[in-house]
């Protein structure tokens, strides 16, 4: 009996050391995987891509629009941590298509700036802005810089796609066209240059969405405006579970 007790005490004392000597299986989680991807790509935040369409006042100067956005981007990066903004702004005669790539906080601040100007100014140059889509956690950027291009000569189409196709078909064709345009710019525009300039309607007319599509998307009720999106974004999330519901409701006697 003494030998048995001695052996049990010896095993009890050696158990912590034996546990430390056992091979440990490395365990990770999905957050660590995403952080490692960000580190390898030299990114501090997850990237998101946002498509905006809006009507603008007629005869708006490209320089005025570009300076407005440059000031907004610089102010946001100065006061908020986030990724730099890349993308493309197409300026049509009376509308714009804006594709933005950045971190969620930066995109939120851009929408907030639009909203504050629209609410505070009676004649803000941006009108009826709609968010077509926001793609979260994109693997890589399609645009290496942010650039502006003016579509000087509108392309005329004999068939109006908005009359013969459903909204889903119009949006699908719109995304296919803009994706092809992004790939074209990715291959042809060198980093550090001024971008494609105002000759896109000559070099790649088939890749430019017609302005009638942009205006059609601005009128669609299915897409959110910045005010609706920001209200939903800032609203605290609270989900009532079934276990919190009691029926009949408790009452005091």
């Amino acid at each position: 009996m003494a030998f048995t007790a001695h052996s049990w005490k010896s095993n009890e004392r050696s158990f912590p050391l034996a546990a430390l000597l056992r091979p440990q299986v490395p365990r990770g989680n999905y957050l660590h995987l995403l952080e490692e991807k960000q580190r390898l790509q030299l990114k501090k935040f997850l990237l998101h891509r946002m498509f905006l369409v809006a009507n603008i006042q007629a005869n708006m100067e490209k320089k005025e629009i570009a300076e407005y956005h440059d000031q907004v981007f610089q102010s946001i990066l100065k006061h908020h941590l986030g990724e730099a903004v890349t993308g493309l702004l197409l300026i049509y005669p009376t509308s714009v298509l804006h594709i933005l790539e950045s971190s969620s906080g930066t995109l939120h601040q851009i929408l907030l700036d639009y909203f504050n100007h629209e609410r505070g100014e009676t004649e803000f140059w941006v009108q009826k802005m709609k968010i077509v889509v926001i793609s979260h956690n994109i693997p890589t950027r399609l645009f290496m810089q942010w650039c502006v291009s003016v579509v000087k000569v509108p392309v005329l189409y004999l068939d109006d796609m908005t009359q013969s196709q459903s909204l889903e078909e119009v949006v699908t064709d719109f995304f296919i066209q803009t994706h092809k345009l992004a790939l074209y710019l990715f291959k042809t525009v060198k980093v550090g240059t001024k971008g494609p300039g105002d000759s896109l309607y000559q070099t790649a007319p088939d890749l430019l969405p017609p302005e009638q599509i942009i205006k059609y998307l601005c009128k669609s009720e299915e897409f959110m405006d910045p005010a609706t999106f920001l209200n939903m974004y800032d609203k605290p999330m609270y989900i009532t579970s079934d276990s919190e519901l009691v029926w009949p409701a408790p009452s005091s006697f």
Side-chain angles (χ1 to χ4, degrees), residues 106-155:
T106 301
L107 297 181
H108 174 264
Q109 291 296 323
I110 292 173
L111 289 177
L112 187 61
D113 188 85
Y114 276 128
F115 172 70
N116 290 334
H117 277 285
E118 186 177 10
R119 181 179 59 178
E121 299 179 16
T122 56
E123 295 184 357
F124 186 46
W125 60 274
V126 177
Q127 303 166 354
K128 295 183 179 180
M129 174 175 285
K130 292 295 179 65
I131 303 171
V132 182
V133 70
I134 299 179
S135 301
H136 299 284
N137 191 19
I138 58 177
T140 184
R141 297 178 186 263
L142 284 176
F143 303 91
M144 295 298 102
Q145 58 189 14
W146 184 78
C147 50
V148 184
S149 182
V150 176
V151 184
K152 297 181 179 179
V153 180
V155 182

Side-chain angles (χ1 to χ4, degrees), residues 10 12 16 28-29 78 95 102 108 136 153-154 156 170 219 239:
S10 177
E12 184 182 20
N29 54 44
K78 183 178 180 181
S95 61
S102 187
H108 174 264
H136 299 284
V153 180
L156 300 178
V170 172
K219 295 179 182 179
I239 301 176

Side-chain angles (χ1 to χ4, degrees), residues 23-217:
Q24 299 294 323
V25 179
R27 296 180 179 273
N29 54 44
Y30 188 59
L31 176 60
H32 294 161
L33 178 61
L34 292 178
E35 290 176 344
E36 181 64 16
K37 285 184 178 181
Q38 298 295 101
R39 187 186 66 80
L40 294 176
Q41 297 176 8
L42 301 178
K43 295 185 299 184
K44 298 180 180 179
F45 301 89
L46 295 178
L47 287 175
H48 310 278
R49 183 180 298 120
M50 179 168 61
F51 285 72
L52 300 174
V53 293
N55 293 330
I56 61 172
Q57 295 177 353
N59 302 321
M60 285 291 298
E61 294 291 336
K62 172 186 175 181
K63 181 179 179 181
E64 184 178 354
I65 298 177
E67 288 179 350
Y68 163 78
H69 286 94
D70 287 336
Q71 293 176 1
V72 171
F73 298 160
Q74 292 176 9
S75 176
I76 292 174
L77 292 177
K78 183 178 180 181
H79 298 92
H80 302 275
L81 293 176
E83 293 288 335
V85 178
T86 59
L88 174 66
L89 175 61
L90 292 179
I91 304 176
Y92 294 84
T94 58
S95 61
V96 293
L97 165 61
H98 204 177
I99 306 174
L100 295 161
E101 298 173 333
S102 187
S103 50
S104 61
T106 301
L107 297 181
H108 174 264
Q109 291 296 323
I110 292 173
L111 289 177
L112 187 61
D113 188 85
Y114 276 128
F115 172 70
N116 290 334
H117 277 285
E118 186 177 10
R119 181 179 59 178
E121 299 179 16
T122 56
E123 295 184 357
F124 186 46
W125 60 274
V126 177
Q127 303 166 354
K128 295 183 179 180
M129 174 175 285
K130 292 295 179 65
I131 303 171
V132 182
V133 70
I134 299 179
S135 301
H136 299 284
N137 191 19
I138 58 177
T140 184
R141 297 178 186 263
L142 284 176
F143 303 91
M144 295 298 102
Q145 58 189 14
W146 184 78
C147 50
V148 184
S149 182
V150 176
V151 184
K152 297 181 179 179
V153 180
V155 182
L156 300 178
Y157 293 85
L158 297 178
D159 298 329
D160 188 354
M161 297 170 53
T162 61
Q163 299 296 328
S164 59
Q165 295 182 344
S166 64
L167 176 63
E168 181 179 356
E169 293 173 331
V170 172
V171 173
T172 300
D173 292 339
F174 168 78
F175 283 129
I176 292 175
Q177 199 168 20
T178 52
H179 185 72
K180 291 180 179 179
L181 175 61
L183 292 178
Y184 169 80
L185 296 177
F186 182 82
K187 296 177 181 178
T188 57
V189 178
K190 296 181 179 179
V191 179
T193 61
K194 295 183 178 181
D198 297 337
S199 60
L200 272 178
Y201 69 94
Q202 295 176 337
T203 58
D206 297 336
L207 301 180
L208 294 175
E211 187 175 21
Q212 62 185 7
I213 300 298
I214 307 301
K215 302 186 78 65
Y216 172 75
L217 297 177

